[in-house]
């Protein structure tokens, strides 16, 4: 529920202004108003980037680290070592 509200809020901030009026344009002429508008929009873009791009990568890295820890506990020898090197390479690429 909270996540849906956040996504909806971000979508509203990033949506282009379809019903602009004189008051909206005048608020952008005000330097403080323009800075506030740009700041809010930039924050929304950065949060969207985190949600769309970074979270999947973070979860992939976390899964790889958990798998590495499991292999280290099993002490699988050379095969485990090669698998760990492969997982570390995947983490480095992401």
């Amino acid at each position: 529920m909270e996540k849906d509200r956040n996504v909806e809020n971000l979508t509203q901030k990033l949506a282009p202004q379809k019903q602009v009026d004189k008051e909206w344009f005048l608020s952008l002429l005000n330097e403080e108003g323009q800075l506030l508008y740009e700041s809010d929009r930039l924050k929304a873009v950065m949060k969207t980037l985190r949600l769309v791009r970074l979270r999947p990568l973070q979860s992939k890295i976390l899964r790889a680290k958990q798998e590495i820890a499991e292999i280290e506990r099993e002490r699988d020898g050379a095969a485990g070592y090669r698998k760990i090197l492969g997982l570390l390479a995947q983490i480095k690429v992401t």
Side-chain angles (χ1 to χ4, degrees):
M1 184 81 158
E2 179 75 24
K3 187 176 179 180
D4 292 337
R5 195 175 323 127
N6 288 339
V7 171
E8 184 179 316
N9 192 13
L10 289 174
T11 305
Q12 287 175 353
K13 285 186 180 185
L14 294 177
Q17 294 288 335
K18 294 185 180 174
Q19 294 180 338
V20 294
D21 56 357
K22 185 177 179 181
E23 189 175 314
W24 186 78
F25 281 114
L26 288 176
S27 71
L28 291 180
L29 290 176
N30 177 4
E31 186 177 349
E32 236 178 78
Q34 184 176 4
L35 288 175
L36 182 63
Y37 172 77
E38 290 173 356
S39 175
D40 284 347
R41 191 157 171 92
L42 185 61
K43 285 178 186 177
V45 168
M46 296 305 290
K47 285 181 182 180
T48 303
L49 278 174
R50 270 189 226 117
L51 286 171
V52 173
R53 298 284 185 187
L54 295 180
R55 282 212 178 136
L57 293 176
Q58 287 174 336
S59 63
K60 185 178 177 181
I61 290 171
L62 182 62
R63 284 193 305 269
K65 286 182 178 181
Q66 289 171 345
E67 192 173 341
I68 288 171
E70 186 178 315
I71 292 169
E72 287 175 343
R73 278 193 304 270
E74 292 174 0
R75 301 200 182 264
D76 200 16
Y81 180 71
R82 281 193 300 273
K83 198 169 186 180
I84 288 173
L85 288 179
L87 289 169
L88 288 174
Q90 282 180 354
I91 290 172
K92 191 173 183 179
V93 169
T94 55

